[in-house]
Amino acid sequence: MSQPKAPKISIIIVTYNAVKTLQAGLDSIYAQKYPNIEVVVIDGGSTDGTLELLKDNTSKLAYWKSEPDEGIYDAMNKGLNHISGQWVYFMGADDELRDEFSEMALELKRPGALYYANVMSNGKKKSGFVNEYYQAKAGVFHQAIIYSASIFKTYRYDTRYSISADYELNMRCWRDQSIAFIYRDYVIANFNHNGASSGGEDELFASNKSNLIRQNFGLKIWLRYMFRLFKERLRGTK
């Protein structure tokens, strides 16, 4: 009897002038032992040789396109329109998958769930199991998460948030009791800190964060978060 085919994982990469790092990231995908991965690349109109690199990789990509966009999360939303997998992973153009990604992929058993693991960041394993309060306060590394594709039939990234739309989307997912957050102790990617999220604060998200925590996590977690802010401000005045 033949074995059932492994569920497909769609990896979406958003690029812009990423010629120096993109091939290494793609090669880390090609090297995976997991047998059913497709790669979708959405480029923002690169001018540095990225398009030539993508052309060289066309036979290994399920889809790619280069055109102007309205930011990283707009491009991610576009990428979701071109996937065919049951699971979705978002990878930075300067990140690389580790071998344990394929081991993690074999754990994807629960339809509709959000699975998360760990990444290597600045030489350290981050972040481990994340409790409800930490989910609210800091969230999970985007590159540590594999989503059920069905989640994106209901939710998309809010492009008003230039840096933290993934954080905000995960808040909404947490509130949705039909979406289980499942942790597995693997290190699935090397996370590079030179991406857009290193460029500063998402001011709109920062101004809305406390309200978003209250809306998505409830009064108890919100009060704990506000008490923490109060203590930090009190220390700052000393």
Side-chain angles (χ1 to χ4, degrees), residues 120-178:
M120 288 298 293
S121 174
N122 287 331
K124 295 181 180 180
K125 178 181 174 181
K126 302 283 185 73
S127 305
F129 173 78
V130 175
N131 63 26
E132 183 177 28
Y133 178 65
Y134 194 89
Q135 288 278 4
K137 181 184 76 168
V140 178
F141 279 90
H142 204 199
Q143 288 80 358
I145 300 171
I146 302 177
Y147 296 87
S148 174
S150 63
I151 290 172
F152 296 102
K153 294 179 180 178
T154 303
Y155 301 105
R156 290 294 174 105
Y157 293 102
D158 187 335
T159 57
R160 294 177 301 163
Y161 300 116
S162 60
I163 295 174
S164 301
D166 55 304
Y167 187 174
E168 188 273 338
L169 179 135
N170 292 337
M171 287 179 159
R172 286 183 279 145
C173 289
W174 185 271
R175 182 181 182 181
D176 187 333
Q177 295 184 359
S178 72

Side-chain angles (χ1 to χ4, degrees), residues 13-22 41-48 50-51 54 66-69 72 93:
I13 307 175
V14 170
T15 64
Y16 182 71
N17 288 345
V19 71
K20 293 180 180 180
T21 59
L22 179 58
V41 181
I42 305 297
D43 180 78
S46 292
T47 58
D48 69 336
T50 297
L51 301 191
L54 290 171
S66 180
E67 64 182 8
D69 56 52
I72 295 170

